[in-house]
Amino acid sequence: MVFLRVLKGLVCALLHLEPDEVQSVVLLNPIEFSDRMRDKDFILDIKVMLNDTAIINIELQVRTQQFWDDRSLSYLCRIFNSLEKGEDYSDIRPAYHIGILDFTPFPDYPEFYAANKMMNIKKHYIIMTSSR
């Protein structure tokens, strides 16, 4: 499918992966295009499973959103919380929330491309990594 090849290319570009590092890209929330595409508020969020190990949420946003930091962190937490009752915490999959935005979420720190991680603010060590 052309869409999955394009999605693979987008994921590789955004996560700085080589195409041969990607064995599979599975769309977890199939998009149903309909008359809603003509609506101004058409929502296009994509949830992807990468290499059967990482979960990625990609959100396209063309209007400035108040509290973007809280919103994106909330989305990230939802996809990070992938364990079922009784599963071991070592089975948690890496999770990524990618926002493709038409605004600068942090006006004091404008960047075209930014990657953020949870970090201890005193000692500056990364609390969570995706290298499990």
Side-chain angles (χ1 to χ4, degrees):
M1 258 169 80
V2 173
F3 177 77
L4 290 180
R5 282 198 324 259
V6 171
L7 182 58
K8 177 181 176 179
L10 177 65
V11 168
C12 286
L14 293 172
L15 297 180
H16 305 289
L17 299 172
E18 293 297 323
D20 61 345
E21 294 178 78
V22 177
Q23 286 78 45
S24 64
V25 175
V26 178
L27 189 61
L28 299 176
N29 61 333
I31 302 162
E32 295 181 21
F33 296 108
S34 65
D35 291 336
R36 292 218 41 208
M37 285 187 70
R38 292 187 208 115
D39 294 348
K40 280 186 168 182
D41 294 329
F42 182 73
I43 298 170
L44 181 58
D45 289 355
I46 301 171
K47 189 174 176 184
V48 177
M49 176 71 72
L50 176 66
N51 292 341
D52 201 32
T53 58
I55 302 172
I56 304 167
N57 183 70
I58 302 172
E59 180 177 5
L60 305 170
Q61 192 59 251
V62 295
R63 285 188 287 174
T64 301
Q65 295 291 315
Q66 190 175 17
F67 308 113
W68 175 257
D69 50 347
D70 292 337
R71 177 183 173 143
S72 60
L73 185 57
S74 175
Y75 285 5
L76 178 62
C77 289
R78 286 182 200 161
I79 62 171
F80 182 74
N81 183 18
S82 60
L83 290 180
E84 298 294 328
K85 185 177 180 178
E87 289 184 302
D88 193 80
Y89 285 105
S90 65
D91 294 330
I92 289 177
R93 293 182 166 109
Y96 301 89
H97 175 74
I98 298 172
I100 300 173
L101 313 175
D102 189 29
F103 61 94
T104 301
F106 306 106
D108 293 341
Y109 306 99
E111 291 183 78
F112 178 74
Y113 177 92
N116 301 288
K117 294 183 178 184
M118 291 183 69
M119 180 183 75
N120 177 285
I121 62 172
K122 184 177 179 184
K123 300 288 186 175
H124 300 134
Y125 62 87
I126 303 298
I127 295 172
M128 303 175 74
T129 67
S130 59
S131 59
R132 289 185 187 245

